[in-house]
Structure formats: C-alpha cells, structure tokens
Amino acid sequence: MYKRQAKSIRYILAPGAHTFQEVEVRGDAAEHSVLHDNPFVINIINKFLKLTD
C-alpha cells in the first residue's frame, strides 16, 4: 500500500518536471518518521540541492 502511494507522486510531478528520480529506501531507518536522520537519504537530498557532489 505505501509503495503504491509513494509512486503515485510521479503522476502528479510528471507534467511539470524536466527530470524525475525515484529512490527506494528500505530497512529500519526507512520509516517516514526517521528518514530525516538516515545518512543515505540525507546524501540524496544534499546532492539534489547541490550541497555535495
């Protein structure tokens, strides 16, 4: 159920987005309430914001 809901954002963003990338995060540190502390997720966000290479 959650995967289907997360993937539905593609159809909302697709008309206006030039590029779109999905990243699947699994494991104990993949719960919504702890994603902001997950180093993998932080790295992805920093790269998106061009804060790191």
Side-chain angles (χ1 to χ4, degrees):
M1 178 169 158
Y2 292 114
K3 187 174 183 180
R4 182 176 35 189
Q5 290 172 346
K7 291 203 174 262
S8 66
I9 192 73
R10 169 188 291 188
Y11 302 103
I12 295 170
L13 297 176
H18 295 286
T19 60
F20 186 87
Q21 179 181 354
E22 293 180 54
V23 178
E24 189 169 327
V25 181
R26 296 179 182 207
D28 293 336
E31 288 188 35
H32 185 265
S33 61
V34 294
L35 283 174
H36 65 279
D37 291 328
N38 184 319
F40 178 72
V41 174
I42 292 169
N43 187 44
I44 292 167
I45 293 170
N46 285 343
K47 284 181 179 180
F48 174 77
L49 295 174
K50 300 187 186 318
L51 299 176
T52 61
D53 292 325

Coordinates of all heavy atoms in Angstrom, one line a residue:
M1 N 0.8 -1.2 0.0 CA 0.0 0.0 0.0 C 0.9 1.3 0.0 O 0.6 2.2 -0.8 CB -0.9 0.0 1.2 CG -1.8 1.2 1.3 SD -3.0 1.0 2.5 CE -3.4 2.6 2.9
Y2 N 1.9 1.3 0.9 CA 2.7 2.5 1.0 C 3.5 2.7 -0.3 O 3.6 3.9 -0.8 CB 3.7 2.4 2.1 CG 3.0 2.5 3.5 CD1 3.0 1.4 4.3 CD2 2.3 3.6 3.9 CE1 2.3 1.4 5.5 CE2 1.7 3.7 5.1 CZ 1.7 2.6 5.9 OH 1.0 2.6 7.1
K3 N 4.0 1.6 -0.9 CA 4.7 1.8 -2.2 C 3.9 2.4 -3.3 O 4.3 3.2 -4.0 CB 5.3 0.4 -2.6 CG 6.2 0.5 -3.7 CD 6.8 -0.9 -4.0 CE 7.8 -0.8 -5.1 NZ 8.4 -2.2 -5.4
R4 N 2.7 1.9 -3.4 CA 1.8 2.4 -4.4 C 1.5 3.9 -4.2 O 1.5 4.7 -5.1 CB 0.5 1.7 -4.4 CG -0.5 2.1 -5.4 CD -1.8 1.3 -5.5 NE -2.1 0.9 -4.1 CZ -3.0 0.0 -3.8 NH1 -3.7 -0.6 -4.8 NH2 -3.3 -0.3 -2.6
Q5 N 1.3 4.3 -2.9 CA 1.1 5.7 -2.6 C 2.3 6.6 -2.9 O 2.2 7.7 -3.5 CB 0.7 5.9 -1.2 CG -0.7 5.4 -0.8 CD -1.0 5.4 0.7 OE1 -0.1 5.6 1.5 NE2 -2.2 5.2 1.0
A6 N 3.5 6.1 -2.6 CA 4.7 6.8 -2.8 C 4.9 7.0 -4.3 O 5.4 8.0 -4.8 CB 5.9 6.2 -2.2
K7 N 4.7 6.0 -5.1 CA 4.9 6.0 -6.5 C 3.9 6.9 -7.3 O 4.1 7.3 -8.4 CB 4.9 4.6 -7.1 CG 6.1 3.8 -6.7 CD 6.5 2.7 -7.6 CE 7.7 2.1 -7.2 NZ 8.9 2.6 -7.9
S8 N 2.7 7.2 -6.6 CA 1.7 8.0 -7.3 C 2.2 9.4 -7.5 O 1.6 10.1 -8.3 CB 0.4 7.9 -6.5 OG 0.5 8.5 -5.3
I9 N 3.2 9.9 -6.7 CA 3.7 11.2 -6.9 C 4.2 11.5 -8.2 O 4.2 12.6 -8.8 CB 4.7 11.6 -5.8 CG1 5.0 13.0 -5.7 CG2 6.0 10.8 -6.0 CD1 4.0 13.9 -5.1
R10 N 4.7 10.4 -8.9 CA 5.2 10.5 -10.3 C 4.2 11.2 -11.2 O 4.5 12.0 -12.0 CB 5.7 9.2 -10.8 CG 6.0 9.2 -12.3 CD 6.1 7.8 -12.8 NE 7.4 7.3 -12.3 CZ 7.9 6.1 -12.7 NH1 7.3 5.4 -13.6 NH2 9.0 5.7 -12.2
Y11 N 3.0 10.7 -11.1 CA 1.9 11.2 -12.0 C 1.5 12.7 -11.7 O 1.0 13.4 -12.5 CB 0.7 10.3 -11.9 CG 1.1 8.9 -12.3 CD1 1.3 7.9 -11.3 CD2 1.4 8.6 -13.6 CE1 1.7 6.6 -11.7 CE2 1.8 7.3 -13.9 CZ 2.0 6.3 -13.0 OH 2.4 5.1 -13.3
I12 N 1.8 13.1 -10.5 CA 1.5 14.5 -10.1 C 2.6 15.4 -10.6 O 2.4 16.5 -11.2 CB 1.3 14.6 -8.6 CG1 0.1 13.8 -8.1 CG2 1.3 16.1 -8.2 CD1 0.0 13.7 -6.6
L13 N 3.9 14.9 -10.5 CA 5.0 15.8 -10.9 C 5.3 15.7 -12.3 O 5.9 16.6 -12.9 CB 6.2 15.3 -10.1 CG 6.2 15.5 -8.5 CD1 7.4 15.0 -7.9 CD2 6.0 17.0 -8.2
A14 N 5.0 14.6 -13.0 CA 5.4 14.4 -14.4 C 5.1 15.5 -15.4 O 6.0 15.8 -16.1 CB 4.9 13.0 -14.9
P15 N 4.0 16.1 -15.3 CA 3.7 17.1 -16.4 C 4.7 18.3 -16.3 O 5.0 18.9 -17.3 CB 2.3 17.6 -16.1 CG 1.7 16.4 -15.3 CD 2.8 15.8 -14.6
G16 N 5.1 18.7 -15.1 CA 6.0 19.9 -15.0 C 7.4 19.6 -14.7 O 8.2 20.5 -14.8
A17 N 7.8 18.4 -14.4 CA 9.1 18.1 -14.1 C 10.0 17.7 -15.3 O 9.5 17.0 -16.2 CB 9.2 16.9 -13.1
H18 N 11.2 18.3 -15.4 CA 12.1 18.0 -16.5 C 12.7 16.7 -16.3 O 12.9 15.9 -17.2 CB 13.1 19.1 -16.7 CG 12.6 20.4 -17.0 ND1 12.1 20.7 -18.3 CD2 12.4 21.5 -16.3 CE1 11.6 21.9 -18.3 NE2 11.8 22.5 -17.1
T19 N 13.0 16.4 -15.1 CA 13.6 15.1 -14.7 C 12.9 14.6 -13.4 O 12.4 15.4 -12.6 CB 15.1 15.1 -14.5 OG1 15.4 16.0 -13.4 CG2 15.8 15.6 -15.7
F20 N 13.0 13.3 -13.2 CA 12.4 12.7 -12.0 C 13.1 11.5 -11.7 O 13.4 10.7 -12.5 CB 10.9 12.4 -12.3 CG 10.1 11.9 -11.1 CD1 9.5 12.8 -10.3 CD2 10.0 10.6 -10.8 CE1 8.8 12.4 -9.2 CE2 9.3 10.1 -9.7 CZ 8.7 11.1 -8.9
Q21 N 13.5 11.4 -10.4 CA 14.2 10.2 -9.9 C 13.5 9.7 -8.7 O 13.2 10.4 -7.8 CB 15.7 10.6 -9.6 CG 16.5 9.4 -9.1 CD 17.9 9.8 -8.8 OE1 18.3 10.9 -9.0 NE2 18.6 8.9 -8.2
E22 N 13.3 8.3 -8.7 CA 12.8 7.7 -7.5 C 13.9 6.9 -6.9 O 14.7 6.3 -7.5 CB 11.7 6.7 -8.0 CG 10.4 7.3 -8.5 CD 9.4 6.3 -8.9 OE1 9.1 5.4 -8.1 OE2 9.0 6.3 -10.1
V23 N 13.9 6.9 -5.5 CA 14.8 6.2 -4.8 C 14.1 5.4 -3.7 O 13.3 6.0 -3.0 CB 15.9 7.1 -4.1 CG1 16.8 6.3 -3.2 CG2 16.6 7.9 -5.1
E24 N 14.3 4.1 -3.7 CA 13.6 3.3 -2.7 C 14.5 3.1 -1.5 O 15.7 2.7 -1.7 CB 13.2 1.9 -3.3 CG 12.4 1.1 -2.4 CD 11.8 -0.1 -3.2 OE1 11.5 0.0 -4.4 OE2 11.6 -1.1 -2.5
V25 N 14.0 3.4 -0.4 CA 14.8 3.3 0.9 C 14.1 2.2 1.7 O 12.9 2.2 1.9 CB 14.8 4.6 1.7 CG1 15.6 4.5 2.9 CG2 15.3 5.7 0.8
R26 N 14.9 1.2 2.1 CA 14.4 0.1 2.9 C 15.1 0.0 4.2 O 16.2 0.5 4.4 CB 14.6 -1.2 2.1 CG 13.9 -1.3 0.8 CD 14.1 -2.6 0.1 NE 13.4 -2.6 -1.1 CZ 13.1 -3.8 -1.7 NH1 13.3 -4.9 -1.1 NH2 12.4 -3.7 -2.8
G27 N 14.5 -0.8 5.1 CA 15.2 -1.1 6.4 C 14.6 -0.3 7.6 O 13.6 0.4 7.4
D28 N 15.2 -0.5 8.7 CA 14.7 0.2 9.9 C 14.7 1.7 9.8 O 13.9 2.4 10.4 CB 15.5 -0.3 11.2 CG 15.3 -1.8 11.5 OD1 14.2 -2.3 11.1 OD2 16.1 -2.4 12.1
A29 N 15.7 2.2 9.1 CA 15.9 3.6 9.0 C 15.1 4.2 7.9 O 15.3 5.3 7.4 CB 17.4 4.0 8.9
A30 N 14.1 3.4 7.3 CA 13.3 3.9 6.2 C 11.9 4.3 6.6 O 11.1 4.6 5.8 CB 13.3 2.8 5.1
E31 N 11.6 4.2 7.9 CA 10.3 4.6 8.3 C 10.2 6.1 8.1 O 11.2 6.9 8.3 CB 10.1 4.3 9.8 CG 9.9 2.8 10.1 CD 9.4 2.6 11.5 OE1 8.7 3.4 12.1 OE2 9.9 1.5 12.0
H32 N 9.0 6.6 7.8 CA 8.8 8.0 7.5 C 9.3 8.9 8.6 O 10.0 9.9 8.3 CB 7.3 8.3 7.2 CG 7.0 9.7 6.8 ND1 6.7 10.6 7.7 CD2 7.1 10.2 5.6 CE1 6.5 11.8 7.0 NE2 6.8 11.6 5.7
S33 N 9.1 8.6 9.8 CA 9.4 9.4 10.9 C 10.9 9.5 11.2 O 11.4 10.4 11.9 CB 8.7 9.0 12.2 OG 9.1 7.7 12.6
V34 N 11.7 8.6 10.6 CA 13.2 8.7 10.8 C 14.0 8.9 9.5 O 15.2 8.9 9.6 CB 13.7 7.4 11.5 CG1 13.2 7.3 12.9 CG2 13.4 6.2 10.7
L35 N 13.3 9.2 8.4 CA 14.0 9.4 7.2 C 15.0 10.6 7.3 O 16.0 10.6 6.7 CB 13.0 9.6 6.0 CG 12.4 8.3 5.5 CD1 11.4 8.7 4.4 CD2 13.4 7.4 4.9
H36 N 14.6 11.6 8.0 CA 15.4 12.8 8.1 C 16.8 12.5 8.8 O 17.7 13.4 8.8 CB 14.7 13.9 8.8 CG 14.3 13.7 10.2 ND1 13.2 12.9 10.6 CD2 14.9 14.0 11.4 CE1 13.2 12.8 11.9 NE2 14.2 13.5 12.4
D37 N 16.9 11.4 9.5 CA 18.1 11.0 10.2 C 18.9 10.0 9.4 O 20.0 9.6 9.8 CB 17.8 10.5 11.6 CG 17.3 11.6 12.5 OD1 17.8 12.7 12.4 OD2 16.5 11.3 13.4
N38 N 18.4 9.5 8.3 CA 19.0 8.4 7.5 C 20.1 9.0 6.7 O 19.9 9.9 5.8 CB 18.0 7.8 6.7 CG 18.5 6.6 5.9 OD1 19.6 6.6 5.4 ND2 17.7 5.5 5.8
P39 N 21.4 8.6 6.9 CA 22.5 9.2 6.1 C 22.4 9.0 4.6 O 22.8 9.9 3.8 CB 23.7 8.4 6.6 CG 23.3 7.9 7.9 CD 21.9 7.7 7.9
F40 N 21.8 7.9 4.2 CA 21.6 7.7 2.8 C 20.6 8.7 2.2 O 20.9 9.3 1.1 CB 21.0 6.3 2.6 CG 20.7 5.9 1.2 CD1 21.7 5.7 0.2 CD2 19.4 5.8 0.7 CE1 21.4 5.3 -1.1 CE2 19.1 5.4 -0.6 CZ 20.1 5.2 -1.5
V41 N 19.5 9.0 2.9 CA 18.5 9.9 2.4 C 19.1 11.4 2.5 O 18.9 12.1 1.6 CB 17.3 9.9 3.3 CG1 16.3 11.0 2.9 CG2 16.6 8.5 3.1
I42 N 19.9 11.7 3.5 CA 20.5 13.0 3.7 C 21.4 13.2 2.5 O 21.4 14.3 1.9 CB 21.2 13.1 5.0 CG1 20.2 13.1 6.1 CG2 22.1 14.4 5.0 CD1 20.9 13.0 7.5
N43 N 22.2 12.2 2.1 CA 23.1 12.3 1.0 C 22.4 12.6 -0.3 O 22.8 13.4 -1.1 CB 24.0 11.1 0.9 CG 25.1 11.2 -0.2 OD1 25.7 12.2 -0.3 ND2 25.2 10.2 -1.0
I44 N 21.3 11.9 -0.6 CA 20.5 12.1 -1.8 C 19.9 13.5 -1.8 O 20.0 14.2 -2.9 CB 19.3 11.1 -1.8 CG1 19.9 9.7 -2.0 CG2 18.3 11.4 -2.9 CD1 18.9 8.6 -1.8
I45 N 19.4 14.0 -0.7 CA 18.8 15.3 -0.7 C 19.9 16.4 -0.9 O 19.8 17.4 -1.6 CB 18.1 15.6 0.7 CG1 16.9 14.7 0.7 CG2 17.7 17.0 0.8 CD1 16.2 14.6 2.0
N46 N 21.1 16.2 -0.2 CA 22.2 17.1 -0.4 C 22.7 17.2 -1.9 O 22.9 18.3 -2.4 CB 23.3 16.8 0.5 CG 23.1 17.1 1.9 OD1 22.2 17.9 2.2 ND2 23.8 16.6 2.9
K47 N 22.7 16.0 -2.5 CA 23.1 16.0 -3.9 C 22.0 16.8 -4.8 O 22.4 17.5 -5.7 CB 23.3 14.6 -4.4 CG 24.6 14.0 -4.0 CD 24.7 12.6 -4.5 CE 26.0 12.0 -4.0 NZ 26.2 10.6 -4.6
F48 N 20.8 16.5 -4.5 CA 19.7 17.2 -5.2 C 19.8 18.7 -5.1 O 19.6 19.5 -6.0 CB 18.3 16.7 -4.7 CG 17.2 17.5 -5.3 CD1 16.8 17.2 -6.6 CD2 16.5 18.4 -4.6 CE1 15.7 17.9 -7.2 CE2 15.5 19.1 -5.1 CZ 15.1 18.9 -6.4
L49 N 20.1 19.2 -3.8 CA 20.2 20.6 -3.6 C 21.6 21.1 -4.0 O 21.9 22.3 -3.8 CB 20.0 20.8 -2.1 CG 18.6 20.5 -1.6 CD1 18.5 20.7 -0.1 CD2 17.5 21.4 -2.3
K50 N 22.4 20.3 -4.5 CA 23.8 20.6 -4.9 C 24.6 21.1 -3.7 O 25.5 22.0 -3.9 CB 23.8 21.6 -6.1 CG 23.1 21.1 -7.3 CD 23.2 22.0 -8.5 CE 22.4 21.5 -9.7 NZ 22.3 20.2 -10.1
L51 N 24.5 20.5 -2.6 CA 25.3 20.9 -1.4 C 26.5 20.0 -1.3 O 27.5 20.3 -0.6 CB 24.4 20.7 -0.1 CG 23.2 21.6 0.0 CD1 22.4 21.3 1.2 CD2 23.6 23.1 0.0
T52 N 26.5 18.9 -2.0 CA 27.6 17.9 -2.2 C 27.7 17.4 -3.6 O 26.7 17.5 -4.3 CB 27.6 16.8 -1.2 OG1 26.4 16.0 -1.4 CG2 27.5 17.2 0.3
D53 N 28.8 16.8 -3.9 CA 29.0 16.1 -5.2 C 28.5 14.7 -5.2 O 28.5 14.0 -4.3 CB 30.4 16.2 -5.6 CG 30.9 17.6 -5.9 OD1 30.1 18.4 -6.4 OD2 32.1 17.9 -5.7

